[in-house]
Amino acid sequence: MNNDFNIIRLKETESTNTYAKALLKQGELSAPFALVFADNQTKGRGRLGRTWESREGDTLCMSLVAPFPFKPAVTLLSALAVHQTLTEICKEIKEDLKIKWPNDIVIKNKKLCGILTESTDKAAVIGIGINLNSTSFSDEITSKATSLKLLTDKEFDAFDISQKIAENLVNLLKKSNGEFTDSAHKEYTSLCINLGREVICGDKKGIATGIDKCGSLIIKTEDTTEKISSGEVFISGIY
Ligand code: BTN
């Protein structure tokens, strides 16, 4: 038990998000914040119903439970806290670490980390997956994924990093009360690679021009301005 959050470390589970949600349902968490970490995940879940690929020792799999149900900013704040942690532990790549809306951490247009935020009536479950020591990926994602090992030629300890992320994220969530504050908005905007680029979301295509105060992506299409609050946004030429 850390001062601010419970820590639950598992050898293996299907999905740390699924595990955390089950604990919440059973009323089994004694602190407002909790870190659920697994050395291995057998059925990792990604955004929009996708699966999340992971291998023991190669991939960091964690979920942070936070007492903020249904706050849309939580997912963007999570990307900021992961970004902050990765810049602290990997100073050599910090200039190149960016965020792809809403919450992928990317470097040189490749994905390093994905975040799946799920809300229950009591809390947010923020699931974070980071490619740490991977040196290869499945055919499906190999062209768009990278890892800290491939970028730095170093090995990383997933449990250690998960605790640093949890500390930074708990601090940020407490400080902002789960809201997209002006300073979070400014920082997020400065890191978001979508801005100024052509993006495609369903049948909408246009230039991403900003992030609004609720965290939605603003897109200027040929004849209108649209706000996208969730879903898949492709950046032309990237992913
Ligand atoms: C995405 O980019 O689609 C989000 C991926 C989120 C993966 C993490 S790994 C830990 C947590 N448990 C899961 O089943 N998913 C998230």
Side-chain angles (χ1 to χ4, degrees):
M1 168 99 180
N2 169 293
N3 283 341
D4 289 317
F5 50 89
N6 279 143
I7 299 178
I8 298 153
R9 183 173 184 172
L10 308 165
K11 184 88 199 90
E12 183 170 281
T13 190
E14 285 193 358
S15 148
T16 54
N17 267 34
T18 307
Y19 191 94
K21 286 202 291 181
L23 288 183
L24 276 168
K25 204 166 169 191
Q26 293 152 16
E28 297 248 342
L29 293 174
S30 55
F33 292 92
L35 163 64
V36 178
F37 173 90
D39 291 320
N40 196 32
Q41 254 186 183
T42 54
K43 262 194 202 166
R45 296 187 286 109
R47 291 180 65 234
L48 309 166
R50 288 187 289 242
T51 56
W52 171 261
E53 222 176 80
S54 63
R55 272 184 231 141
E56 185 164 357
D58 283 354
T59 322
L60 180 155
C61 300
M62 65 175 276
S63 300
L64 188 89
V65 179
F68 297 109
F70 312 116
K71 290 217 180 193
V74 164
T75 196
L76 306 181
L77 296 170
S78 305
L80 284 178
V82 174
H83 181 274
Q84 179 196 345
T85 312
L86 295 180
T87 60
E88 285 166 3
I89 58 174
C90 265
K91 298 207 168 39
E92 60 269 52
I93 56 168
K94 74 177 203 188
E95 302 304 329
D96 292 325
L97 279 171
K98 306 282 176 202
I99 297 172
K100 176 176 179 274
W101 188 93
N103 55 19
D104 284 356
I105 307 294
V106 295
I107 182 157
K108 297 189 174 142
N109 300 335
K110 290 196 168 193
K111 180 163 168 169
L112 190 58
C113 162
I115 301 178
L116 169 68
T117 307
E118 298 181 294
S119 285
T120 74
D121 55 350
K122 297 186 191 112
V125 175
I126 304 154
I128 299 168
I130 306 180
N131 301 322
L132 286 187
N133 301 315
S134 332
T135 49
S136 63
F137 301 97
S138 69
D139 290 349
E140 208 184 316
I141 63 166
T142 195
S143 63
K144 67 167 197 180
T146 190
S147 72
L148 284 189
K149 162 91 179 164
L150 289 172
L151 292 160
T152 64
D153 210 21
K154 293 182 191 157
E155 294 275 334
F156 295 86
D157 183 85
F159 185 52
D160 181 43
I161 296 175
S162 74
Q163 290 173 86
K164 293 190 166 91
I165 291 173
E167 270 164 34
N168 284 334
L169 183 49
V170 168
N171 285 340
L172 183 59
L173 290 172
K174 280 183 170 173
K175 198 170 78 181
S176 61
N177 195 27
E179 304 293 342
F180 205 33
T181 58
D182 287 348
S183 69
H185 178 263
K186 194 169 165 207
E187 196 190 346
Y188 187 96
T189 301
S190 74
L191 293 169
C192 181
I193 60 162
N194 302 66
L195 302 182
R197 288 198 158 103
E198 184 183 71
V199 295
I200 300 153
C201 179
D203 56 359
K204 300 180 185 93
K205 186 176 184 176
I207 303 294
T209 56
I211 307 289
D212 77 3
K213 288 291 160 97
C214 301
S216 296
L217 184 69
I218 305 168
I219 300 182
K220 210 165 168 4
T221 65
E222 225 161 48
D223 38 33
T224 175
T225 299
E226 303 272 350
K227 285 187 176 183
I228 312 290
S229 61
S230 63
E232 179 80 322
V233 170
F234 295 95
I235 304 179
S236 292
I238 301 184
Y239 76 86

